[in-house]
């Protein structure tokens, strides 16, 4: 009986629950997107990226495209982390070729203009997408829901755009710590509400993206990265204790240990800069996800083979989910993704 349950549970969820699985399950951050011609084709039909994100027909199709092509071991809901500020009433748009634009928050009036609670009705298309995907995905392909971590989302809300070093948000946090804390607290509550609804609609696991964690100095890292993520994990698990949660804090380096201790996350994403041999010394109870350099995937050839071999060797006897160390880039050749799938899966199960 136990054996049966075990063998029918998808590899991705087995690894997330702490079981070493060989070959490891594989999915790629940003696996749906511009490197796929079929994505570009449907994307070009939409008036704007946000319209696309709020159209379940488009988002279901975008989520399924990489699964059909590569048979990855997990699908990730197609959406964006900036739907949260949008649902808090901040103006959000995406300029083609330039990235996101938001009305920057520069003072208390900007914070006061935000809604107290997230408008979940505005996010209804996201939940609709999840329910439809539960019907359309292969039964053995789990669906990952996600949100951005408060620090990363706040960095866009303050600057109003992507910046190289998040200086506007870091300055804001130094100059107005109490006001910044209000934004972070609002995002913590909004994220918990949003993730709970994704779970109710059917996602099998959650990933929290803290893309810009690495720019924070120690004290700031605890306050703006670790504490809010710990609060989100606790808030979600208070209602749904069994939902697996992956935390990806890019640039955390050795502070990953702190993140592991302070949060009740089930797995840690490791970015490209983390040495797999160092990461492999972390307690085997820590499930790791990562960390192929997206540029090695663009380069292909020897560079790709060597990097994949190294990662597989380092994590062979521990629970590991094969992934990139950051999102796949639009320039990535499809043939290299096909080769990656072959390389990861060529070894027999142990
Ligand atoms: O992983 C997936 O396949 C699911 C989709 C997904 C998108 N964004 C689609 C997207 C996910 C998980 C995200 C997360 C996201 N969005 C993050 C965190 C992860 C990371 O990669 O760092 C961040 C920081 C954002 C904010 C964001 N969205 C930026 C900075 C940009 C513009 C930069 C760019 O790559 O163009 C986006 C737009 C965006 N989100 C696109 C896609 C496919 C490209 C827009 C388009 O197709 O026109």
């Amino acid at each position: 009986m136990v054996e049966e349950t075990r063998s029918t549970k998808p590899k991705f969820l087995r690894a997330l629950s702490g079981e070493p699985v060989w070959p490891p399950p594989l999915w790629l951050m940003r696996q749906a997107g511009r490197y796929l011609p079929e994505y570009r084709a449907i994307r070009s039909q939409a008036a704007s990226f946000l319209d696309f994100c709020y159209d379940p027909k488009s988002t279901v199709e975008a989520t399924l495209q990489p699964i059909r092509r590569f048979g990855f071991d997990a699908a990730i809901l197609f959406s964006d982390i900036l739907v949260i500020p949008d649902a808090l009433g901040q103006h959000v748009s995406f300029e083609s070729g330039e990235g996101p634009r938001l009305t920057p928050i520069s003072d208390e009036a900007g914070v006061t203009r935000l809604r107290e609670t997230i408008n979940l009705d505005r996010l209804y298309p996201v939940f609709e997408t999840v329910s439809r995907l539960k019907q359309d995905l292969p039964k053995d392909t789990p669906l990952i829901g996600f949100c951005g971590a408060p620090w990363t989302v706040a960095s866009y809300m303050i600057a109003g755009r992507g910046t190289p070093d998040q200086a506007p948000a870091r300055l804001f946090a130094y100059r107005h710590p109490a006001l910044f804390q209000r934004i972070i607290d609002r995002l913590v509550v909004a994220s918990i509400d949003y993730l709970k609804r994704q779970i109710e609609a059917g996602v099998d696991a959650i990933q929290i993206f803290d893309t810009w964690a690495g720019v924070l100095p120690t004290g700031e890292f605890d306050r703006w990265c670790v504490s809010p993520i710990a609060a989100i994990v606790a808030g979600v698990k208070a209602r749904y204790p069994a939902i697996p949660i992956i935390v990806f804090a890019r640039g955390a380096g050795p502070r990953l240990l702190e993140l592991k201790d302070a949060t009740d996350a089930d797995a840690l994403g490791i970015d490209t800069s983390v040495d797999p041999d160092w990461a492999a010394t972390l307690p085997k109870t820590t499930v790791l996800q990562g960390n192929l350099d997206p540029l090695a995937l663009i380069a292909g050839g020897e560079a790709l083979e060597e990097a994949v071999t190294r990662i597989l060797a380092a994590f062979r006897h521990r629970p590991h989910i094969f992934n990139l160390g950051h999102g796949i880039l639009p320039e990535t050749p499809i043939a290299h993704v096909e080769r990656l799938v072959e390389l990861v899966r060529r070894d027999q199960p142990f």
Side-chain angles (χ1 to χ4, degrees):
M1 191 62 196
V2 171
E3 270 308 306
E4 210 170 279
T5 331
R6 212 168 162 213
S7 57
T8 52
K9 191 167 167 183
K11 286 171 74 165
F12 171 74
L13 295 176
R14 280 164 54 203
L16 262 184
S17 66
E19 195 185 318
V21 177
W22 189 266
L26 164 70
W27 71 280
L28 303 180
M29 289 189 278
R30 299 274 201 116
Q31 65 193 16
R34 286 163 297 180
Y35 75 108
L36 292 175
E38 60 270 35
Y39 171 80
R40 295 195 297 269
I42 54 168
R43 171 70 182 83
S44 67
Q45 313 279 304
S48 76
F49 181 64
L50 220 47
D51 285 344
F52 187 88
C53 285
Y54 290 145
D55 172 38
K57 193 165 173 291
S58 302
T59 46
V60 166
E61 176 57 21
T63 306
L64 293 171
Q65 286 175 343
I67 303 303
R68 278 192 210 114
R69 218 185 233 277
F70 307 112
F72 290 128
D73 295 294
I76 181 161
L77 162 70
F78 192 92
S79 184
D80 197 83
I81 62 167
L82 298 179
V83 298
I84 287 198
D86 182 57
L88 284 172
Q90 192 174 11
H91 183 262
V92 179
S93 66
F94 288 80
E95 301 301 323
S96 53
E98 289 185 44
R101 292 289 181 274
L102 300 84
T103 313
I105 296 177
S106 52
D107 53 17
E108 181 154 15
V111 181
T112 311
R113 273 195 294 274
L114 294 174
R115 290 172 52 105
E116 281 294 330
T117 56
I118 187 168
N119 179 3
L120 288 173
D121 291 342
R122 174 125 180 106
L123 300 176
Y124 173 79
V126 178
F127 313 127
E128 173 69 19
T129 300
V130 172
S131 332
R132 291 198 201 175
L133 282 167
K134 291 307 288 177
Q135 301 297 313
D136 295 356
L137 276 167
K139 287 291 157 265
D140 58 349
T141 310
L143 178 62
I144 305 168
F146 70 90
C147 71
W151 161 249
T152 289
V153 175
S155 78
Y156 289 95
M157 293 171 76
I158 304 276
R161 59 199 299 152
T163 54
D165 53 5
Q166 286 58 58
R170 287 157 68 195
L171 280 170
F172 190 103
Y174 285 128
R175 287 179 178 145
H176 317 287
L179 198 52
F180 193 66
Q181 185 75 56
R182 264 173 66 191
I183 300 176
I184 293 290
D185 291 347
R186 187 108 21 124
L187 287 169
V188 166
V189 175
S191 304
I192 294 170
D193 290 347
Y194 180 46
L195 292 177
K196 286 203 288 206
R197 284 292 297 275
Q198 291 186 31
I199 296 165
E200 282 150 21
V203 301
D204 302 288
I206 296 287
Q207 176 153 322
I208 302 174
F209 287 90
D210 213 351
T211 304
W212 299 115
V215 299
L216 293 169
T218 306
E220 306 293 298
F221 182 81
D222 298 342
R223 187 164 183 192
W224 308 128
C225 169
V226 177
S227 304
I229 291 178
I232 294 175
V233 176
V236 171
K237 292 214 174 199
R239 178 75 184 81
Y240 297 106
I243 191 84
I245 303 184
I246 306 165
V247 172
F248 174 65
R250 190 165 71 104
R255 296 182 297 192
L256 283 171
L257 290 168
E258 195 187 326
L259 203 58
K260 170 70 191 151
D261 290 343
T263 68
D264 196 17
D266 298 83
L268 294 179
I270 48 173
D271 67 63
T272 301
S273 70
V274 174
D275 176 1
D277 294 325
W278 172 80
T281 64
L282 295 176
K284 280 199 178 170
T285 46
T286 308
V287 181
L288 296 172
Q289 173 178 280
N291 76 339
L292 180 70
D293 187 350
L295 291 180
L297 189 57
I298 293 184
E302 277 292 293
L304 177 63
E305 316 260 325
E306 273 171 29
V308 172
T309 307
R310 179 142 189 255
I311 293 167
L312 288 174
F315 299 128
R316 190 172 175 121
H317 294 292
R318 60 179 299 140
H320 171 231
I321 297 160
F322 201 103
N323 206 316
L324 296 171
H326 194 198
I328 192 167
L329 293 160
E331 304 79 16
T332 309
I334 284 170
H336 295 183
V337 181
E338 288 166 351
R339 180 66 185 144
L340 169 66
V341 174
E342 255 171 44
L343 287 170
V344 173
R345 294 194 175 148
R346 75 181 157 187
D347 280 358
Q348 292 307 302
F350 44 50

